[in-house]
Amino acid sequence: MQTLIVELAERSYPIYIGAGLLARPELFNRHLAGQQVLVVTNTVVGPWYLEKVMDAIEAPSKAELVLPDGESYKTLATVERIFDRLLEKRFSRNATLVALGGGVIGDLVGFAAACYQRGIAFIQVPTTLLAQVDSSVGGKTGVNHPLGKNMIGAFYQPRCVIADTQALDTLPDRELRAGLAEVIKYGLIADAAFFAWLEENMAKLLNRDAQALAYAIERSCRIKAEVVGADERESGLRAILNFGHTFGHAIEAATGYGRYLHGEAVAIGMCLAAELSRRLGLIGLAQVERIVALIERAGLPILPPALDSEQWLAWMAVDKKNLDGKLRLILLETLGRAALPQPVPGEILKATLDEYRRTFC
Ligand code: NAD
Ligand code: GLY
C-alpha cells in the first residue's frame, strides 16, 4: 500500500492506494469521528462492495443508504435524502459519512457532510478510476443545478481517501477509459515525463495491468495532492486542474449530460485546449499531434460534437473560472506545464472552435 498525504495543516489527510484495502478495517476505523456511521453508495456499486465496507467498519451504530445511480441524481434533492437518513437515525455532530462509489457519490456525500449540522466527518472510498485519481482528492464537493454543472457546492476535505485498486476490476471499460482522460491531464499540466510514461504504457493500462494502474493512480494523486496543498480554494494554481474542462463542461451541457461521460468530454476538451495553445503560439503542431494521438490511443473521443461557435461560447460562459462574466481558459505553456487561467482573444478561440474538426478529424 502507498500512503500519500494531502498537506493542509490541521486538515491534512492520507490517501491510501493499494489492492484489497476495502478489507482493511483499520484504514476506516482510525478515521471515524465517533460511533455513528452512515455508508452511502448506489445501486451499481452497492451489490459489489457495500457488504465488505459494512463489515470493515467497527461502530456500534452503522447504517447504509443506497441511492439511484447516475449523474442525473447529483442534485440537491438527493442530498436531502442523505439528510433524511441521518436525521431518521438521530445521528449527531460526531457521526461519519462514508462515500462508496464514483465521483457522483463522492461529490454528493462530501457536500452532505459539509452541510449536516454545519459539518461532519467523511471518508472517501472511490471506486472508479476517475474518482481515485481526481474527484475523491482535494475537497471539492457539490451538486449540479439545471442551469450549470457543479454550481452548488463547498470546499470540504475528507478525513481520508481509501482507493482500493481491486475495485476497478468490476469497472466497465468505457469508465476506465474516461478515468484515463484525467490521468493524461496530469501529464499534460505538470509532468512531461509522466506523459511520456503514459505513451509507453497505454496498452498496459487499457489491459488493466495492476502495476501500471497502481503507478498511474499514485502519480496522479501525488500531482493533485501537491496542487491542492499549494492552493486549496483555487485562488490561483489549482485552476490548472481544470485544463480542458471548460470545453468539456460545455460539451456535457450542450449534449444534455448523457451522451458523453465526463472524462470523454474532458478528453475532447483537452484536444481543443491544446490546439488553442498552438494557435496562440505556445506549443507546436508536433506537440498537439502527440496529445491528440495519446488521447485517441486511450480509446477516448477526439471529435467534438457539431456545435457552432456561438453555441460553444454560450455554454462556456457558465464556468467557475470566469470572472466579471469574462471567459478565462487554461492553456499549455509547453507539454508538461499549464499556465494560470487567462482571457483569450475571441477571434482565435472562434477560429479554433470552427477549424479544429477540419485540422484533426
Ligand atoms: P460515476 O460516479 O457516475 O461512476 C461511473 C459509473 O460507474 C456509475 O454508473 C457508477 O455507479 C459505476 N461504478 C462506480 N464504481 C464502479 C465499480 N467499481 N464497478 C462497476 N461500476 C462502478 O462517475 P465518475 O466518472 O466516477 O465521476 C464523475 C463525477 O465526478 C462527475 O459528477 C464530475 O463532475 C465529478 N468530478 C468531481 C471532481 C472533484 O474534484 N470533486 C473532479 C472530477 C470529476
Ligand atoms: N477536478 C478539479 C479540482 O479538483 O480542482
Side-chain angles (χ1 to χ4, degrees), residues 2-311:
Q2 289 269 350
T3 304
L4 312 179
I5 305 291
V6 184
E7 300 281 0
L8 290 168
E10 73 285 357
R11 277 168 291 104
S12 298
Y13 56 93
I15 306 168
Y16 305 116
I17 303 166
L21 303 191
L22 295 189
R24 298 265 303 260
E26 76 283 6
L27 299 182
F28 293 87
N29 296 323
R30 66 170 73 129
H31 296 288
L32 301 180
Q35 303 193 335
Q36 300 169 325
V37 182
L38 175 63
V39 180
V40 182
T41 187
N42 70 25
T43 49
V44 173
V45 179
W48 290 109
Y49 305 111
L50 181 59
E51 196 180 328
K52 212 176 230 183
V53 169
M54 293 302 283
D55 286 349
I57 292 169
E58 289 153 12
S61 185
K62 292 191 275 189
E64 57 192 55
L65 174 63
V66 181
L67 296 170
D69 179 45
E71 182 77 30
S72 61
Y73 292 97
K74 201 172 118 176
T75 60
L76 278 176
T78 308
V79 173
E80 276 209 20
R81 287 192 54 187
I82 303 174
F83 295 151
D84 291 346
R85 191 88 173 108
L86 288 163
L87 286 162
E88 280 158 18
K89 296 294 294 180
R90 304 270 188 276
F91 274 8
S92 41
R93 264 193 144 157
N94 63 345
T96 305
L97 276 170
V98 176
L100 172 65
V104 169
I105 287 290
D107 283 10
L108 276 166
V109 174
F111 188 53
C115 301
Y116 186 69
Q117 300 201 18
R118 301 200 181 87
I120 61 172
F122 89 110
I123 292 176
Q124 288 273 19
V125 187
T127 60
T128 62
L129 179 60
L130 184 137
Q132 294 192 352
V133 299
D134 191 354
S135 61
S136 66
V137 175
K140 279 191 182 176
T141 73
V143 296
N144 299 328
H145 184 276
L147 297 182
K149 190 170 152 66
N150 294 336
M151 280 292 148
I152 317 292
F155 285 101
Y156 196 68
Q157 302 294 341
R159 288 276 176 110
C160 71
V161 178
I162 303 173
D164 186 340
T165 52
Q166 256 170 20
L168 302 181
D169 290 351
T170 55
L171 193 66
D173 285 340
R174 186 176 171 199
E175 297 289 350
L176 185 88
R177 292 194 295 264
L180 287 173
E182 302 284 2
V183 172
I184 292 170
K185 174 190 78 180
Y186 291 113
L188 286 175
I189 61 170
D191 189 343
F194 183 45
F195 185 88
W197 182 89
L198 289 169
E199 289 180 312
E200 286 289 309
N201 290 279
M202 187 48 73
K204 282 189 185 167
L205 292 169
L206 290 168
N207 285 327
R208 298 170 184 252
D209 177 281
Q211 250 184 321
L213 272 174
Y215 177 73
I217 294 166
E218 186 259 317
R219 191 68 208 118
S220 300
C221 284
R222 206 175 278 282
I223 293 170
K224 179 141 190 189
E226 273 166 24
V227 172
V228 170
D231 177 23
E232 182 185 9
R233 291 188 163 241
E234 200 167 308
S235 42
L237 181 71
R238 185 167 179 166
I240 66 170
L241 297 173
N242 284 313
F243 177 69
H245 283 56
T246 306
F247 295 107
H249 287 161
I251 292 169
E252 286 182 90
T255 53
Y257 298 106
R259 181 165 148 202
Y260 297 92
L261 298 179
H262 175 71
E264 292 170 342
V266 166
I268 300 168
M270 292 193 297
C271 295
L272 286 163
E275 170 60 1
L276 179 61
S277 306
R278 181 187 76 80
R279 285 175 180 264
L280 290 163
L282 295 165
I283 62 175
L285 182 61
Q287 288 178 308
V288 182
E289 284 173 346
R290 259 180 88 187
I291 294 166
V292 173
L294 181 61
I295 290 173
E296 202 170 18
R297 275 185 53 221
L300 287 160
I302 57 163
L303 178 68
L307 304 175
D308 66 41
S309 50
E310 293 310 312
Q311 289 172 299

